[in-house]
Amino acid sequence: MSPFFAAIFLHALCLANAVNDINFSTVYEWDKFDFVWPSGSNISNNRQTFNPNYVHPRYMAVFGERLFLSLDLKSEVPATLVWLPKSGTSTAPKLHPFPSWNLHIKYREECDTIKVTQGIVADPDGRLWVLDDGTYGCSSKLWIFDLNNNDTTERVHQFPDTVVSHSSSKRSLRDVVIDKTPDDYLAYITDSESENIVVYSRKTDQSWSVKTPGRKWDALDLSPNREARQLYLTERSYSNELYSVSVSELKNEGGTAAPKRIGKWREYAYRIVIDNANILYAAFNYKKYLSKWNISEPFREQRVHEVAKLDCSWPFTFTLDADDTLWMTERNESGGVLRHKLFKAAVGARPHLLTALPTP
Ligand SMILES: *[C@@H]1O[C@H](CO)[C@@H](O)[C@H](O)[C@H]1NC(C)=O
Ligand SMILES: *[C@@H]1O[C@H](CO)[C@@H](O)[C@H](O)[C@H]1NC(C)=O
Ligand SMILES: *[C@@H]1O[C@H](CO)[C@@H](O)[C@H](O)[C@H]1NC(C)=O
Ligand SMILES: *[C@@H]1O[C@H](CO)[C@@H](O)[C@H](O)[C@H]1NC(C)=O
Ligand SMILES: *[C@@H]1O[C@H](CO)[C@@H](O)[C@H](O)[C@H]1NC(C)=O
């Protein structure tokens, strides 16, 4: 076989092997994102500086009929937290700021608005938990909104300096997951600039940090098994390593935890989600595929979804909802034409939070 035909043959083989285990269907497709702009207020000034090319979804949550997206901070994008309907007549719906434009007034010096949204998560009681990294002048916060009550602000927790540094160069909050215990909701949070895992208790409105000497973290999620719940974490240092720690090690303020090394991905995983059937899904920086691992078996990376070409950092973000659906956005920067899509797939499994709780 000539090298030319060998190349074609190999190419065809690769295409034939492209994995397509998840049956995604397209929900929306955007050539350009747009916002639902307010009329007549100062905020509409943001419209002049808006550039849809800079809208880049980073984290995602779903509750009821809405889908929430955390967007990369860019001066050309007027809000870092938006929502859109899960279904509708438009094939490219506009983005609504969440909860309102007033909480996204740009360049406002006061620290009473949402500054830099990172991880977001919806709990089964209809609260949206929003991690806000803050700015140079405003410290980091955890916001809790009540989606069943007109999106009112239920809680704004400002992290003390001892938990998340008030110096913006010494912190970088990333992601948050929620653990529903018989009498509380706990949030576990990664700060990729500190060798800590941050914990927040809704009942006491207190936060604390647990030291993990020598290691910093990025993506995280919880295993569904309540009795021996593990927090899975990806190491920030581009080591591609996955770790886990029992949540029982995270109870004590000022304590030290020793996450165990589980295995190594082929690439750097920036997002992980675990469903209640013990399947961990992962997405990788600049890669056009998703992988999975069944956490009740020894670590083994398996590709489950692969597409042609995206040429994008953080190409996907995804989440599970109560209807056993996996939702995923895809950003395609290939060929100089920017495109976004929203997909969904019935996967027959839901978030761990919706696994039945034992009666207290
Ligand atoms: C894939 O999903 C679509 C839409 O949800 C459905 O109509 C189709 O039957 C599914 N295909 C397979 C092979 O499951
Ligand atoms: C709107 O802009 C004007 C002029 O820049 C300013 O005086 C006023 O305080 C602003 N209003 C709000 C609600 O920010
Ligand atoms: C939400 O706001 C609307 C209009 O302001 C009001 O009529 C309604 O009662 C509110 N709903 C709840 C659950 O508070
Ligand atoms: C995960 O692995 C366990 C143990 O081998 C197996 O019983 C289970 O069916 C697997 N789950 C899925 C969804 O494949
Ligand atoms: C991304 O866009 C390029 C250029 O338009 C196209 O060739 C490629 O197939 C697209 N990728 C996907 C996964 O649709």
Side-chain angles (χ1 to χ4, degrees):
M1 203 184 288
S2 78
F4 177 71
F5 283 108
I8 290 192
F9 177 73
L10 277 175
H11 182 65
L13 203 66
C14 288
L15 287 181
N17 285 346
V19 234
N20 233 325
D21 293 354
I22 306 177
N23 180 19
F24 279 116
S25 57
T26 308
V27 182
Y28 301 132
E29 194 169 346
W30 293 269
D31 289 337
K32 282 192 179 354
F33 277 120
D34 198 5
F35 275 82
V36 177
W37 299 99
S39 54
S41 79
N42 288 13
I43 301 157
S44 59
N45 292 340
N46 286 339
R47 200 168 181 167
Q48 272 88 61
T49 53
F50 174 57
N51 182 338
N53 294 342
Y54 289 89
V55 176
H56 189 164
R58 293 303 186 115
Y59 298 95
M60 190 191 222
V62 173
F63 185 80
E65 295 309 309
R66 286 184 293 176
L67 207 143
F68 304 88
L69 294 174
S70 163
L71 306 178
D72 198 15
L73 175 73
K74 287 283 187 281
S75 56
E76 296 83 356
V77 179
T80 56
L81 180 59
V82 297
W83 69 268
L84 58 154
K86 266 163 69 173
S87 62
T89 48
S90 170
T91 53
K94 293 185 178 182
L95 307 174
H96 301 253
F98 181 90
S100 63
W101 279 115
N102 284 338
L103 274 183
H104 291 279
I105 298 174
K106 278 250 161 161
Y107 313 119
R108 188 182 157 94
E109 278 172 27
E110 288 83 0
C111 295
D112 55 358
T113 56
I114 299 173
K115 300 298 179 187
V116 183
T117 307
Q118 296 288 342
I120 54 177
V121 58
D123 75 30
D125 295 332
R127 294 186 205 91
L128 188 71
W129 301 56
V130 175
L131 201 55
D132 176 1
D133 196 37
T135 57
Y136 178 78
C138 298
S139 44
S140 312
K141 289 178 183 148
L142 182 64
W143 299 75
I144 305 178
F145 297 98
D146 189 346
L147 302 174
N148 289 324
N149 186 17
N150 281 347
D151 302 339
T152 47
T153 309
E154 180 190 289
R155 196 67 73 70
V156 189
H157 177 78
Q158 182 177 313
F159 294 104
D161 186 41
T162 49
V163 177
V164 177
S165 178
H166 285 186
S167 159
S168 60
S169 62
K170 292 189 183 145
R171 65 163 192 261
S172 179
L173 295 184
R174 291 302 182 102
D175 204 359
V176 53
V177 288
I178 306 299
D179 191 7
K180 188 174 182 172
T181 67
D183 65 344
D184 198 1
Y185 269 108
L186 297 172
Y188 301 107
I189 294 159
T190 47
D191 171 0
S192 69
E193 287 298 326
S194 79
E195 295 174 357
N196 287 328
I197 295 166
V198 176
V199 190
Y200 169 81
S201 158
R202 178 172 174 269
K203 194 168 78 178
T204 63
D205 193 25
Q206 298 287 312
S207 57
W208 62 92
S209 60
V210 176
K211 294 185 197 69
T212 55
R215 304 204 187 284
K216 299 173 178 175
W217 311 103
D218 186 349
L220 81 174
D221 204 2
L222 289 162
S223 68
N225 178 351
R226 296 201 51 77
E227 288 67 45
R229 186 156 275 174
Q230 296 284 315
L231 181 65
Y232 287 86
L233 299 144
T234 63
E235 199 180 7
R236 183 206 90 149
S237 64
Y238 288 81
S239 69
N240 304 350
E241 309 251 27
L242 180 69
Y243 282 77
S244 81
V245 64
S246 164
V247 296
S248 62
E249 285 188 50
L250 306 174
K251 288 200 162 69
N252 300 320
E253 171 148 24
T256 299
K260 289 186 299 286
R261 184 185 174 281
I262 298 295
K264 188 173 176 145
W265 303 104
R266 279 186 287 265
E267 303 291 341
Y268 182 63
Y270 63 83
R271 177 128 183 98
I272 60 172
V273 165
I274 305 174
D275 70 21
N276 69 351
N278 282 346
I279 302 299
L280 184 155
Y281 296 94
F284 307 91
N285 203 23
Y286 280 107
K287 296 296 154 191
K288 57 193 175 72
Y289 60 83
L290 303 180
S291 290
K292 73 169 182 183
W293 164 50
N294 179 340
I295 65 171
S296 36
E297 293 179 350
F299 182 79
R300 186 168 70 97
E301 178 176 352
Q302 269 180 286
R303 284 193 196 181
V304 280
H305 175 71
E306 183 161 12
V307 296
K309 212 173 183 203
L310 297 172
D311 294 340
C312 178
S313 71
W314 290 54
F316 309 107
T317 187
F318 48 86
T319 193
L320 290 156
D321 77 2
D323 300 325
D324 297 0
T325 301
L326 179 66
W327 295 84
M328 182 177 79
T329 61
E330 178 196 276
R331 177 178 169 95
N332 187 354
E333 294 183 9
S334 178
V337 191
L338 186 64
R339 279 238 150 75
H340 287 91
K341 287 184 184 175
L342 175 73
F343 298 99
K344 66 175 180 179
V347 289
R350 47 187 55 195
H352 68 82
L353 265 178
L354 294 161
T355 309
L357 280 174
T359 34

